[in-house]
Amino acid sequence: MERIERHACFGGWQEVWQHKSESLDCTVNFAVYLPPAAAEKKCPVLYWLSGLTCNEQNFITKANAQRYAAEHGVIIVAPDTSPRGDDVANDDAYDLGQGAGFYVNATQQPWAPHYRMYDYIRDELPALIEQHFPATDARAISGHSMGGHGALVLALKNPGRYRSVSAFAPIVAPSQVPWGEKAFAAYLGDDRDTWLEYDAVVLIAKAQEKLPLLVDQGLADNFLEEQLRTGLLEDACSKAGYPATIRYQEGYDHSYYFIASFIEEHIAHHAAALQG
């Protein structure tokens, strides 16, 4: 691994690292915020998954999360959203290919050799973090939009791996909305039954554990009705008896202004579970 950025931030350090990923078969970046407490002891880790078109930079430069991570003694890890490189398959559209990995393991060509973000986030990245940084194995996961979808799916499919989950404006039912239908058809093929393994609304019904779950959705989000459909998650949680806190925020859109406005509460949500 090679550290390519380091900035003093709220008494800790915001770093960006680069490494060759075995899961993705390419060189990738990830960001790590180390709070002041990490200089003295191992700290729990919150994994943040970003949305379409983003990389590791969006969250660390726009969300103001470091301030609250410093207060709570939580490490934040923000990976890229897809494999990258000249040899990695891509598409001209913003919602497929590089910057749009959807946190699945692709099975179709030309995507399958590199697009294994699910394995990378679940297995490879935490192993690196816990080996090379002052991190405990207490993990939480959160994300925005496509990353909110990824956070929900990873938490629901892997009981015992995370202590809490949250999301901002997540794609809750990708098998039922245009973004997900396009990506899943490309990455997973035409068999829609295989898509359901990455659909939070479906997974809620058979969840083996009930993690603390917090979701914020802006009511001025122009993607709400067609792509996000938060109400489907609300209905699924109600039917399954899953104790979710799903909040609708008047006037807020899909941007990082929205995330920055509520990130303090999300980090407190995770800190309570990680340190409780």
Side-chain angles (χ1 to χ4, degrees):
M1 297 198 307
E2 177 187 4
R3 188 173 66 199
I4 59 176
E5 288 187 36
R6 192 176 198 232
H7 311 282
C9 188
F10 292 103
W13 296 97
Q14 179 63 65
E15 301 181 346
V16 178
W17 289 76
Q18 188 174 83
H19 76 110
K20 177 63 183 293
S21 166
E22 294 183 7
S23 303
L24 308 178
D25 193 23
C26 65
T27 299
V28 292
N29 294 349
F30 63 85
V32 179
Y33 177 68
L34 300 170
E40 301 176 355
K41 63 179 182 179
K42 291 187 175 182
C43 297
V45 184
L46 170 61
Y47 291 86
W48 171 269
L49 307 184
S50 291
L52 288 167
T53 75
C54 294
N55 57 29
E56 81 285 346
Q57 292 290 324
N58 297 75
F59 180 74
I60 65 175
T61 58
K62 296 180 178 181
N64 196 31
Q66 296 93 336
R67 172 181 177 180
Y68 307 112
E71 292 176 3
H72 288 284
V74 173
I75 294 171
I76 300 183
V77 175
D80 203 344
T81 55
S82 77
R84 306 272 182 178
D86 293 339
D87 297 329
V88 175
N90 200 9
D91 190 272
D92 291 337
Y94 77 95
D95 53 358
L96 189 68
Q98 295 185 33
F102 268 84
Y103 305 102
V104 303
N105 287 339
T107 59
Q108 306 299 303
Q109 297 299 331
W111 313 103
H114 298 285
Y115 283 76
R116 302 188 63 83
M117 288 299 294
Y118 180 85
D119 282 354
Y120 179 70
I121 300 299
R122 186 188 65 180
D123 300 319
E124 184 178 1
L125 184 58
L128 283 173
I129 296 301
E130 290 161 27
Q131 178 182 354
H132 295 287
F133 297 90
T136 70
D137 62 0
R139 311 176 196 98
I141 192 163
S142 185
H144 171 229
S145 194
M146 178 186 72
H149 140 73
L152 292 170
V153 167
L154 279 149
L156 291 168
K157 285 173 67 72
N158 295 282
R161 180 160 288 270
Y162 304 101
R163 297 193 182 181
S164 55
V165 58
S166 77
F168 290 83
I171 305 170
V172 303
S175 66
Q176 300 183 51
V177 301
W179 275 340
E181 290 175 325
K182 178 179 180 178
F184 284 8
Y187 298 145
L188 304 174
D190 294 331
D191 183 358
R192 285 179 171 255
D193 287 343
T194 65
W195 301 6
L196 303 183
E197 289 300 311
Y198 298 101
D199 190 303
V201 165
V202 173
L203 296 171
I204 280 283
K206 52 185 178 181
Q208 296 180 31
E209 67 177 352
K210 292 179 170 62
L211 296 177
L213 169 60
L214 172 63
V215 173
D216 273 307
Q217 173 62 59
L219 287 174
D221 189 326
N222 60 326
F223 299 116
L224 175 57
E225 295 302 323
E226 182 180 24
Q227 304 282 13
L228 307 177
R229 301 185 66 184
T230 312
L232 293 177
L233 180 65
E234 197 169 17
D235 291 344
C237 288
S238 178
K239 290 177 182 177
Y242 199 106
T245 300
I246 300 176
R247 309 187 304 191
Y248 294 91
Q249 306 292 356
E250 188 72 40
Y252 287 89
D253 58 22
H254 201 69
S255 71
Y256 266 83
Y257 298 110
F258 166 51
I259 295 170
S261 297
F262 299 99
I263 193 66
E264 178 181 11
E265 295 169 54
H266 281 246
I267 291 177
H269 164 82
H270 292 295
L274 288 167
Q275 298 168 344

